[in-house]
Amino acid sequence: MPLSERDNKILDELIRNPGITSMLLEQKHSLTRRQLGYSINKINDWLMSKNLPSIERTRKGHFMIDQAVFTKLGAEDETAPMETAVLTSDQRMRFMIIMLLSSEDELSLHHFTSELDVSKNTALKDLKEAQKFLDDYTLSIRYSRKYGYLLEGREFQIRKLLMTITYQIMFMHDGEKRLKELASIDDREVAEYHDRIENVENKLNLKFTDEKLETMPYVLILILRRIEKGHAINLFSIEYEELSHTKEYQATEEIFCNAEAIPMEERLFITLHLLTTNVYSTEFQAEEDVIPNLMPAIDNMLRLFEKSACIYLQDRNQLLDKLLQHVKPAYYRIKYQLSDTISPQDLLSHEFKELHHLVKRSIKPLADLIGSRIPDNEITYITMLIGGWMKRHGESIEKKIKAIVVCPQGVSVSRLMFNELSELFPEIVFLDSLSVREFLKYELNYDIVFAPTFLETDKKLFIAKAFLGYEERQRLRKQVMLELHGYLPHDLNVEELMAIIRSHASIENESGLAEDLQWYVNRDDDLSIHQTPDRKTVNLDQLITPGTISLQNNADSWEEAVRVSAQPLIESSVITPAYVEAMLYYSREDPYIVIGPNMAIPHASPEDGVNEIGMSLLRLRKGVKFSTDYNIHLIIVIAAADKHQHLHALMQLMKLAGSEKDRNRMIYATSAEEIHDIIQSYSTD
């Protein structure tokens, strides 16, 4: 989150005069205790995102500032307020947009040149830049001789733009003053709405962030202005039943108690604006205010993150409460497409960019609850919350070993390697599984690479086959540990650890704790290299049955072969016809589905049309051409219902693919039962 002008002034004051007290700082800058407290929290979040220590306050109101803050900010002078009155093209562009949003008169080019003190050519150039900005909102600027310059597009998108631009202008240098001038907003009107919103805060038992409290009067005034001019909100999927019972809906009624009749759609939209507004604190979270299943979704997201980042977060319940406070308004922003279009990723430090990547990989429980993809800017804010929490508790992934898996054999095989190696090395942060082409463009920092073939890299490279037997796993683990640490870590006895813990603490769930400890320390044990016990595993012979095996001598084309192979799965409704088209598309894009000299595994993503897990096999005695390099005799269609359930069977299939003798036996088999017998011999481990 960027620092506002007020935050910058406070930080600048603290850097220049670290001996100042809270009371003097409040008096000098005309601040309330609440405003100063909020700004200090904002400054600390910003410092942490820059990998700098936070500023602490003593009980007597003095400030404790680490020398690193003086060194960094004193040298760069990043926080010096802008003194120049010359507007940048970016500022002029935003001022033009607010004029288009708020003007009650017809706008000509002269209005822009006189208000912004620029030439006609500059104004026309700025209007073109404004149009580029509006493209993200699917809005356009149109000029007519009769009405001048106008904004065109859905009113919902215009309102979304209005909220974003108002917020951005308010936190420019002298932004509030320019906003009042450009939109002809009266001080008394602002003060009246400010008072109404503060009264609403008390009724809602919450405190809006100061920046939202400052911005909301302007947003509400401009929205009412558009309503009065007849710009009605278009019908959109706001659910009345979801919003009408909320305290925010009651607040809307209170804020506009003296206004003329406002249509229900407008009341719901303004309620939505209040619901999507971040809060600084809440006195309590009433049960009826909690979105059903939101806390479990956040909890599951955090568990996935902890596993990906190889950490155990301290004071986890407090972090969950903090995330809930942030995610509740984010839930409504995402569900009703009111998130900002601009991502603040450039505010992330290098380490936070790695955290952002891991949070993004863990966000699925939240996306599933909302029923929508989580925008990257919302993920960035969640990253900053988690990252700031980790910093406060001395947690970091900076010193952890980070790895990537590079595999040229397609998505499923790459994912298989990623899962296997993640289980084998629980102390290593695995960032991604990549194709060779993705690897060549990869931007995140990593320390080691796992791949089945040699790669040109200046990092440590470990060659690992796509399918590893038990002894190969142990050998690889020892090789990696010796290379990274110069020694093999001693095995730890879980029972001894349990005895030590019992002597110092009460254990509510001994079996659960023992299981977690076993997973963490016994990395050479079977538990650390197999799928988790509660995950259902399916053997290869359960998926490829005589009923899903087809026998032909040849096929006219690769496309025909894939369609024939997939037909048993379509007939049994395991997949839809759309899944076949997706497989053909991906096989054209990615030739790495070939897993053996005569064997290929076309597949697509679960969302492309998979109803349940399944596999089917087509045997072509004469084979079919797949690119100029391969003649394929065995085509196995894989329908994965999720990212995990099919992996055990895929491991067995990879082992079969490595046997030239058994591949040839399948090619020359005379019946589906004969092929299934061969498959069964690989389905016992």
Side-chain angles (χ1 to χ4, degrees), residues 295-353:
M295 181 59 96
I298 297 171
D299 185 43
N300 289 335
M301 175 194 75
L302 212 53
R303 289 187 188 284
L304 288 173
F305 170 77
E306 287 177 301
K307 186 173 182 181
S308 293
C310 301
I311 61 168
Y312 293 95
L313 290 165
Q314 298 180 45
D315 296 330
R316 197 172 180 283
N317 287 337
Q318 292 179 35
L319 175 57
L320 280 171
D321 288 339
K322 191 176 180 71
L323 283 168
L324 178 64
Q325 188 169 298
H326 171 82
V327 172
K328 181 188 172 186
Y331 170 92
Y332 291 104
R333 286 197 297 269
I334 297 163
K335 182 169 182 177
Y336 294 107
Q337 295 88 50
L338 285 171
S339 289
D340 294 340
T341 58
I342 299 171
S343 175
Q345 277 206 62
D346 57 328
L347 300 174
L348 296 176
S349 67
H350 184 77
E351 183 186 357
F352 272 35
K353 285 182 179 177

Side-chain angles (χ1 to χ4, degrees), residues 83 159 472 488 574:
E83 298 296 338
R159 300 287 181 85
E472 290 168 318
L488 289 173
V574 170

